[in-house]
Amino acid sequence: QVQLVESGGGLVQAGGSLRLSCAASGRTFSSYAMAWFRQAPGKERAFVAAISWSGGSTYYADSVKGRFTISKDNAKNTVYLQMNSLEAEDTAVYYCAAGHFGLVPGNAFYDYWGQGTQVTVSS
């Protein structure tokens, strides 16, 4: 069992930066691939980025490639999402997720989810 708690969301101006954190409980955190998803009002939850269990491989949605960076610290049981050059279109609730299937963008491949953190980008 893994429990995930996101933090770091907030209000930021377009062009600014935020870093989201996702703290995980459970001794098997290092064996999970981790991902970030987001859900904007009126839209379905969408994949943002994923990182392998070792942290050695990453995968990004085209919409965030070059602006967002996902990283994982197994010693701290934490995964991060550094978000730079934020745009109004990045406004959403951001969720972290854990799963065993590696770098996949589909919701169904992740077993555990956090409660989400709101990111609002003002233009």
Side-chain angles (χ1 to χ4, degrees), residues 81-95:
L81 184 68
Q82 178 66 43
M83 306 186 294
N84 299 328
S85 302
L86 283 161
E87 304 167 352
E89 292 73 22
D90 296 317
T91 295
V93 177
Y94 283 72
Y95 299 89

Side-chain angles (χ1 to χ4, degrees), residues 19-42:
R19 188 176 81 155
L20 305 183
S21 299
C22 174
S25 64
R27 291 176 293 179
T28 60
F29 172 77
S30 61
S31 68
Y32 285 88
M34 301 294 295
W36 288 94
F37 288 77
R38 65 187 182 185
Q39 188 166 19

Side-chain angles (χ1 to χ4, degrees), residues 37-51:
F37 288 77
R38 65 187 182 185
Q39 188 166 19
K43 296 187 177 180
E44 294 185 351
R45 191 171 298 187
F47 172 78
V48 175
I51 189 165

Side-chain angles (χ1 to χ4, degrees), residues 62-113:
D62 288 343
S63 58
V64 307
K65 202 173 295 181
R67 300 188 298 123
F68 291 10
T69 303
I70 188 171
S71 60
K72 189 173 187 264
D73 187 336
N74 286 334
K76 295 183 178 180
N77 279 12
T78 302
V79 62
Y80 304 98
L81 184 68
Q82 178 66 43
M83 306 186 294
N84 299 328
S85 302
L86 283 161
E87 304 167 352
E89 292 73 22
D90 296 317
T91 295
V93 177
Y94 283 72
Y95 299 89
C96 69
H100 280 302
F101 285 94
L103 303 181
V104 288
N107 294 1
F109 294 99
Y110 295 90
D111 302 308
Y112 303 103
W113 293 83

